[in-house]
Amino acid sequence: MKNPVFTGAGVAIITPMYEDGSINFDELGRIVEDQIARGTDAIVICGTTGECSTMTDEEQLAAIKYTVDLVNHRVPVIAGAGSNDTDHGCALAAKSAACGADALLLVTPYYNKTSQAGLVAHFTAMAEAGGIPVILYNVPSRTGLNIAPETARELSKHPLINGIKEASGNIGQVAKIAALCGDELNIYSGNDDQVVPLLSLGGKGVISVVSNVKPELVHNCCKAWFDGDTAKARELQLEMLPLCDALFCEVNPIPVKYAMNVLGWEAGECRLPLVEPGDAHKEQIEQALQAAGLIKE
Protein backbone atom coordinates (compact mmCIF):
# COMPACT_ATOMS: atom_id res chain seq x y z
CA MET A 1 0.00 0.00 0.00
CA LYS A 2 1.33 3.45 -0.97
CA ASN A 3 0.42 6.38 1.23
CA PRO A 4 -0.95 9.27 -0.86
CA VAL A 5 1.17 12.37 -1.32
CA PHE A 6 -1.87 14.27 -0.03
CA THR A 7 -5.58 13.76 0.49
CA GLY A 8 -8.19 16.39 -0.26
CA ALA A 9 -7.90 19.44 -2.50
CA GLY A 10 -4.58 20.38 -4.03
CA VAL A 11 -4.61 23.70 -5.86
CA ALA A 12 -3.20 23.81 -9.38
CA ILE A 13 -1.92 27.28 -8.68
CA ILE A 14 -1.63 30.09 -11.21
CA THR A 15 1.66 31.88 -11.81
CA PRO A 16 1.09 35.64 -11.41
CA MET A 17 3.08 37.78 -13.82
CA TYR A 18 4.08 41.40 -14.26
CA GLU A 19 3.17 43.40 -17.34
CA ASP A 20 6.45 42.42 -18.98
CA GLY A 21 5.59 38.73 -18.52
CA SER A 22 8.12 38.01 -15.77
CA ILE A 23 7.00 36.07 -12.70
CA ASN A 24 5.59 38.16 -9.86
CA PHE A 25 7.06 36.23 -6.95
CA ASP A 26 5.68 38.60 -4.31
CA GLU A 27 2.14 38.02 -5.51
CA LEU A 28 2.75 34.29 -5.84
CA GLY A 29 3.74 34.33 -2.18
CA ARG A 30 0.59 36.17 -1.19
CA ILE A 31 -1.57 33.73 -3.13
CA VAL A 32 0.17 30.70 -1.61
CA GLU A 33 -0.28 32.08 1.92
CA ASP A 34 -3.96 32.77 1.23
CA GLN A 35 -4.44 29.25 -0.10
CA ILE A 36 -2.92 27.66 3.00
CA ALA A 37 -4.95 29.92 5.29
CA ARG A 38 -8.16 28.88 3.53
CA GLY A 39 -7.65 25.13 3.78
CA THR A 40 -5.85 24.01 0.65
CA ASP A 41 -4.32 20.58 1.24
CA ALA A 42 -1.41 20.82 -1.24
CA ILE A 43 0.18 23.29 -3.65
CA VAL A 44 0.78 22.14 -7.22
CA ILE A 45 3.25 24.59 -8.75
CA CYS A 46 4.14 24.84 -12.45
CA GLY A 47 1.38 22.65 -13.76
CA THR A 48 -0.83 23.46 -16.74
CA THR A 49 -2.59 26.19 -14.76
CA GLY A 50 0.79 27.64 -13.82
CA GLU A 51 1.76 28.05 -17.49
CA CYS A 52 4.83 25.84 -17.24
CA SER A 53 4.72 25.22 -20.99
CA THR A 54 5.82 28.82 -21.66
CA MET A 55 8.44 28.96 -18.90
CA THR A 56 12.15 28.45 -19.29
CA ASP A 57 13.64 25.74 -17.10
CA GLU A 58 15.27 28.46 -14.98
CA GLU A 59 11.91 30.18 -14.38
CA GLN A 60 10.19 26.90 -13.60
CA LEU A 61 12.82 25.84 -11.07
CA ALA A 62 12.86 29.30 -9.50
CA ALA A 63 9.07 29.13 -8.99
CA ILE A 64 9.33 25.64 -7.50
CA LYS A 65 12.18 26.61 -5.13
CA TYR A 66 10.40 29.80 -4.05
CA THR A 67 7.20 27.90 -3.28
CA VAL A 68 8.96 25.06 -1.43
CA ASP A 69 10.87 27.52 0.75
CA LEU A 70 7.80 29.63 1.49
CA VAL A 71 5.51 26.69 2.29
CA ASN A 72 8.19 25.14 4.52
CA HIS A 73 6.46 21.76 4.94
CA ARG A 74 3.08 23.18 6.02
CA VAL A 75 1.44 21.32 3.13
CA PRO A 76 2.97 19.16 0.40
CA VAL A 77 4.36 20.95 -2.67
CA ILE A 78 4.03 19.04 -5.93
CA ALA A 79 6.16 20.28 -8.82
CA GLY A 80 5.19 20.02 -12.46
CA ALA A 81 8.24 18.58 -14.20
CA GLY A 82 6.96 16.71 -17.24
CA SER A 83 8.25 16.85 -20.80
CA ASN A 84 7.80 15.14 -24.15
CA ASP A 85 11.58 14.70 -24.22
CA THR A 86 12.54 12.04 -21.69
CA ASP A 87 16.10 13.31 -21.20
CA HIS A 88 14.80 16.83 -20.58
CA GLY A 89 12.13 15.44 -18.24
CA CYS A 90 14.74 13.50 -16.27
CA ALA A 91 16.83 16.65 -15.82
CA LEU A 92 13.79 18.64 -14.71
CA ALA A 93 12.72 15.88 -12.34
CA ALA A 94 16.14 15.74 -10.70
CA LYS A 95 16.41 19.52 -10.37
CA SER A 96 12.82 19.86 -9.05
CA ALA A 97 13.54 17.22 -6.43
CA ALA A 98 16.71 19.08 -5.50
CA CYS A 99 14.57 22.19 -4.92
CA GLY A 100 12.83 20.28 -2.14
CA ALA A 101 9.53 19.36 -3.80
CA ASP A 102 7.58 16.63 -2.04
CA ALA A 103 6.46 15.00 -5.29
CA LEU A 104 6.49 15.45 -9.05
CA LEU A 105 3.55 15.79 -11.44
CA LEU A 106 4.56 14.26 -14.78
CA VAL A 107 2.39 14.71 -17.86
CA THR A 108 2.25 12.23 -20.70
CA PRO A 109 4.49 13.13 -23.65
CA TYR A 110 2.63 15.39 -26.07
CA TYR A 111 2.97 15.92 -29.83
CA ASN A 112 5.52 13.19 -30.48
CA LYS A 113 3.47 10.94 -28.14
CA THR A 114 4.53 7.29 -27.84
CA SER A 115 3.23 3.73 -27.40
CA GLN A 116 2.01 2.33 -24.09
CA ALA A 117 5.37 0.55 -23.73
CA GLY A 118 7.02 3.90 -24.36
CA LEU A 119 4.98 5.45 -21.56
CA VAL A 120 6.30 2.84 -19.13
CA ALA A 121 9.89 3.54 -20.17
CA HIS A 122 9.36 7.34 -20.14
CA PHE A 123 7.78 7.58 -16.69
CA THR A 124 10.13 5.00 -15.17
CA ALA A 125 13.18 6.97 -16.31
CA MET A 126 11.83 10.27 -14.95
CA ALA A 127 10.73 8.74 -11.64
CA GLU A 128 14.16 7.28 -11.08
CA ALA A 129 15.87 10.54 -12.06
CA GLY A 130 13.75 12.46 -9.55
CA GLY A 131 13.98 9.93 -6.74
CA ILE A 132 10.82 11.28 -5.06
CA PRO A 133 7.13 10.24 -5.38
CA VAL A 134 5.53 10.75 -8.76
CA ILE A 135 1.94 11.55 -9.71
CA LEU A 136 1.26 10.69 -13.35
CA TYR A 137 -0.84 13.22 -15.26
CA ASN A 138 -3.27 11.81 -17.81
CA VAL A 139 -4.90 14.57 -19.89
CA PRO A 140 -5.50 13.18 -23.39
CA SER A 141 -7.50 16.25 -24.49
CA ARG A 142 -4.24 18.22 -24.32
CA THR A 143 -1.63 15.63 -25.19
CA GLY A 144 -3.41 13.35 -27.66
CA LEU A 145 -2.25 10.36 -25.62
CA ASN A 146 -4.10 8.28 -23.02
CA ILE A 147 -2.58 6.18 -20.24
CA ALA A 148 -4.45 2.88 -20.57
CA PRO A 149 -5.56 1.27 -17.29
CA GLU A 150 -3.28 -1.69 -17.94
CA THR A 151 -0.35 0.70 -18.36
CA ALA A 152 -1.29 2.44 -15.13
CA ARG A 153 -1.19 -0.97 -13.43
CA GLU A 154 2.30 -1.68 -14.82
CA LEU A 155 3.56 1.74 -13.72
CA SER A 156 2.00 1.35 -10.26
CA LYS A 157 4.45 -1.48 -9.57
CA HIS A 158 7.27 1.07 -9.41
CA PRO A 159 7.87 2.13 -5.78
CA LEU A 160 8.11 5.84 -6.65
CA ILE A 161 5.03 6.02 -8.89
CA ASN A 162 2.54 6.97 -6.24
CA GLY A 163 -0.54 8.36 -7.98
CA ILE A 164 -2.34 9.51 -11.10
CA LYS A 165 -4.11 12.76 -11.88
CA GLU A 166 -6.92 11.48 -14.06
CA ALA A 167 -8.26 14.15 -16.42
CA SER A 168 -9.55 11.88 -19.17
CA GLY A 169 -13.11 12.62 -18.10
CA ASN A 170 -13.83 8.90 -18.57
CA ILE A 171 -15.33 7.57 -15.35
CA GLY A 172 -15.32 4.01 -16.73
CA GLN A 173 -11.58 4.25 -17.29
CA VAL A 174 -11.02 5.58 -13.77
CA ALA A 175 -13.04 2.66 -12.37
CA LYS A 176 -10.84 0.22 -14.27
CA ILE A 177 -7.66 1.90 -12.98
CA ALA A 178 -9.03 1.62 -9.43
CA ALA A 179 -9.90 -2.04 -9.96
CA LEU A 180 -6.51 -2.93 -11.46
CA CYS A 181 -4.25 -0.86 -9.21
CA GLY A 182 -5.98 -0.84 -5.84
CA ASP A 183 -3.89 0.85 -3.16
CA GLU A 184 -0.76 0.88 -5.35
CA LEU A 185 -1.87 3.98 -7.28
CA ASN A 186 -3.64 6.89 -5.58
CA ILE A 187 -6.18 8.51 -7.89
CA TYR A 188 -6.77 12.28 -8.01
CA SER A 189 -9.43 13.93 -10.10
CA GLY A 190 -8.08 16.28 -12.74
CA ASN A 191 -11.55 17.64 -13.37
CA ASP A 192 -13.29 19.87 -10.82
CA ASP A 193 -16.72 18.69 -11.98
CA GLN A 194 -15.88 15.05 -11.21
CA VAL A 195 -14.41 15.21 -7.71
CA VAL A 196 -17.12 13.21 -5.92
CA PRO A 197 -17.45 10.58 -8.67
CA LEU A 198 -13.72 9.86 -8.40
CA LEU A 199 -13.78 9.87 -4.59
CA SER A 200 -16.59 7.31 -4.78
CA LEU A 201 -14.20 5.02 -6.69
CA GLY A 202 -11.58 5.30 -3.96
CA GLY A 203 -9.93 8.52 -5.12
CA LYS A 204 -7.79 10.50 -2.69
CA GLY A 205 -8.72 14.03 -3.83
CA VAL A 206 -8.46 16.52 -6.65
CA ILE A 207 -5.84 18.73 -8.26
CA SER A 208 -8.11 21.71 -8.67
CA VAL A 209 -8.39 24.87 -10.76
CA VAL A 210 -11.48 26.06 -8.85
CA SER A 211 -9.38 26.05 -5.67
CA ASN A 212 -7.59 29.16 -6.96
CA VAL A 213 -10.74 31.22 -6.41
CA LYS A 214 -12.57 29.28 -3.67
CA PRO A 215 -10.23 26.82 -1.93
CA GLU A 216 -12.50 26.25 1.04
CA LEU A 217 -15.30 24.95 -1.21
CA VAL A 218 -13.17 22.27 -2.81
CA HIS A 219 -11.45 21.35 0.47
CA ASN A 220 -14.80 21.04 2.25
CA CYS A 221 -16.24 18.90 -0.53
CA CYS A 222 -13.40 16.40 -0.11
CA LYS A 223 -13.49 16.60 3.68
CA ALA A 224 -17.23 15.91 3.75
CA TRP A 225 -16.67 12.78 1.68
CA PHE A 226 -13.86 11.51 3.89
CA ASP A 227 -15.93 12.31 6.98
CA GLY A 228 -18.69 10.07 5.63
CA ASP A 229 -21.12 12.88 4.85
CA THR A 230 -21.77 11.89 1.25
CA ALA A 231 -24.87 14.09 0.99
CA LYS A 232 -22.83 17.18 1.94
CA ALA A 233 -20.07 16.22 -0.48
CA ARG A 234 -22.62 15.88 -3.28
CA GLU A 235 -24.18 19.22 -2.37
CA LEU A 236 -20.81 20.99 -2.50
CA GLN A 237 -19.90 19.27 -5.78
CA LEU A 238 -23.10 20.60 -7.34
CA GLU A 239 -22.46 24.04 -5.85
CA MET A 240 -19.09 23.98 -7.62
CA LEU A 241 -20.52 23.43 -11.10
CA PRO A 242 -21.14 27.08 -12.16
CA LEU A 243 -17.54 27.89 -11.21
CA CYS A 244 -16.34 24.82 -13.12
CA ASP A 245 -18.27 25.93 -16.22
CA ALA A 246 -16.97 29.50 -15.98
CA LEU A 247 -13.34 28.59 -15.30
CA PHE A 248 -13.28 26.23 -18.27
CA CYS A 249 -15.27 28.39 -20.71
CA GLU A 250 -11.97 28.87 -22.56
CA VAL A 251 -8.75 26.92 -22.37
CA ASN A 252 -7.25 26.83 -18.86
CA PRO A 253 -5.69 29.03 -17.41
CA ILE A 254 -7.24 31.89 -19.41
CA PRO A 255 -10.47 32.09 -17.37
CA VAL A 256 -8.96 31.47 -13.92
CA LYS A 257 -6.29 34.12 -14.40
CA TYR A 258 -8.97 36.61 -15.45
CA ALA A 259 -11.02 35.57 -12.39
CA MET A 260 -8.09 36.11 -10.04
CA ASN A 261 -7.59 39.61 -11.47
CA VAL A 262 -11.30 40.35 -10.96
CA LEU A 263 -10.95 39.22 -7.34
CA GLY A 264 -8.19 41.74 -6.76
CA TRP A 265 -5.10 39.60 -7.16
CA GLU A 266 -2.29 40.87 -9.37
CA ALA A 267 -2.39 37.77 -11.55
CA GLY A 268 -1.44 39.58 -14.73
CA GLU A 269 -2.07 38.26 -18.20
CA CYS A 270 -1.30 34.83 -19.60
CA ARG A 271 1.73 34.46 -21.82
CA LEU A 272 1.11 34.09 -25.54
CA PRO A 273 -0.30 32.16 -27.27
CA LEU A 274 -2.97 32.50 -24.57
CA VAL A 275 -4.93 35.76 -24.67
CA GLU A 276 -7.61 37.21 -22.40
CA PRO A 277 -11.15 35.80 -22.63
CA GLY A 278 -13.79 37.26 -24.92
CA ASP A 279 -16.38 39.67 -23.55
CA ALA A 280 -19.17 37.08 -23.24
CA HIS A 281 -16.89 34.78 -21.29
CA LYS A 282 -15.68 37.63 -19.08
CA GLU A 283 -19.32 38.24 -18.15
CA GLN A 284 -19.87 34.54 -17.47
CA ILE A 285 -16.81 34.42 -15.21
CA GLU A 286 -17.86 37.53 -13.30
CA GLN A 287 -21.41 36.23 -12.84
CA ALA A 288 -20.14 32.89 -11.51
CA LEU A 289 -17.83 34.65 -9.05
CA GLN A 290 -20.69 36.81 -7.88
CA ALA A 291 -23.05 33.84 -7.51
CA ALA A 292 -20.36 32.08 -5.46
CA GLY A 293 -20.25 35.03 -3.07
CA LEU A 294 -16.74 36.01 -4.09
CA ILE A 295 -17.62 39.47 -5.45
CA LYS A 296 -19.32 41.71 -2.95
CA GLU A 297 -22.05 44.01 -4.18
Side-chain angles (χ1 to χ4, degrees):
M1 178 179 177
K2 291 175 183 169
N3 292 325
V5 174
F6 73 96
T7 56
V11 60
I13 206 161
I14 66 160
T15 303
M17 294 172 184
Y18 291 112
E19 282 187 24
D20 65 1
S22 61
I23 297 173
N24 184 341
F25 284 102
D26 288 343
E27 193 70 353
L28 175 60
R30 286 189 283 271
I31 293 170
V32 167
E33 290 294 353
D34 182 70
Q35 285 289 319
I36 294 173
R38 293 165 68 188
T40 283
D41 298 295
I43 305 290
V44 181
I45 184 75
C46 293
T48 305
T49 313
E51 299 179 77
C52 64
S53 57
T54 52
M55 287 183 182
T56 65
D57 287 359
E58 290 74 21
E59 287 176 316
Q60 193 166 336
L61 293 166
I64 292 166
K65 182 74 164 63
Y66 176 86
T67 304
V68 166
D69 290 348
L70 179 66
V71 172
N72 193 24
H73 307 293
R74 287 176 288 169
V75 296
V77 174
I78 297 119
S83 177
N84 65 338
D85 168 3
T86 307
D87 284 348
H88 178 225
C90 286
L92 265 181
K95 290 173 183 175
S96 299
C99 289
D102 295 289
L104 304 172
L105 181 67
L106 303 180
V107 72
T108 50
Y110 39 87
Y111 188 70
N112 50 355
K113 307 197 288 186
T114 186
S115 63
Q116 295 297 306
L119 283 177
V120 174
H122 175 75
F123 285 124
T124 299
M126 289 195 296
E128 291 178 355
I132 60 175
V134 162
I135 299 173
L136 309 172
Y137 182 14
N138 191 37
V139 59
S141 66
R142 285 184 179 268
T143 64
L145 179 62
N146 182 56
I147 301 175
E150 294 78 10
T151 304
R153 176 178 60 184
E154 186 63 29
L155 286 163
S156 74
K157 296 173 184 176
H158 194 287
L160 289 172
I161 296 178
N162 181 281
I164 185 167
K165 178 186 176 184
E166 241 299 334
S168 67
N170 184 340
I171 297 296
Q173 171 165 295
V174 177
K176 192 166 184 183
I177 292 170
L180 289 174
C181 300
D183 289 335
E184 290 305 301
L185 198 66
N186 299 296
I187 300 173
Y188 298 96
S189 178
N191 299 94
D192 281 291
D193 59 354
Q194 295 183 348
V195 180
V196 170
L198 265 73
L199 294 177
S200 75
L201 293 169
K204 298 301 192 297
V206 58
I207 295 177
S208 169
V209 175
V210 171
S211 283
N212 280 278
V213 299
K214 200 166 187 182
E216 57 271 63
L217 173 60
V218 191
H219 167 84
N220 289 342
C221 177
C222 295
K223 185 176 186 302
W225 179 270
F226 292 125
D227 287 347
D229 192 347
T230 55
K232 182 67 173 176
R234 181 178 68 246
E235 176 190 322
L236 295 176
Q237 172 74 90
L238 297 178
E239 183 184 325
M240 219 182 291
L241 290 182
L243 282 173
C244 297
D245 290 343
L247 296 183
F248 290 93
C249 66
E250 294 191 23
V251 69
N252 178 48
I254 289 172
V256 71
K257 240 182 166 180
Y258 178 76
M260 291 292 276
N261 283 315
V262 169
L263 294 177
W265 298 101
E266 294 175 14
E269 295 183 358
C270 294
R271 289 180 175 178
L272 289 171
L274 304 184
V275 296
E276 68 174 15
D279 289 344
H281 286 149
K282 286 181 179 178
E283 186 176 348
Q284 180 185 355
I285 294 162
E286 290 167 21
Q287 287 175 350
L289 294 174
Q290 192 158 5
L294 294 167
I295 299 176
K296 306 306 178 194
E297 290 278 9

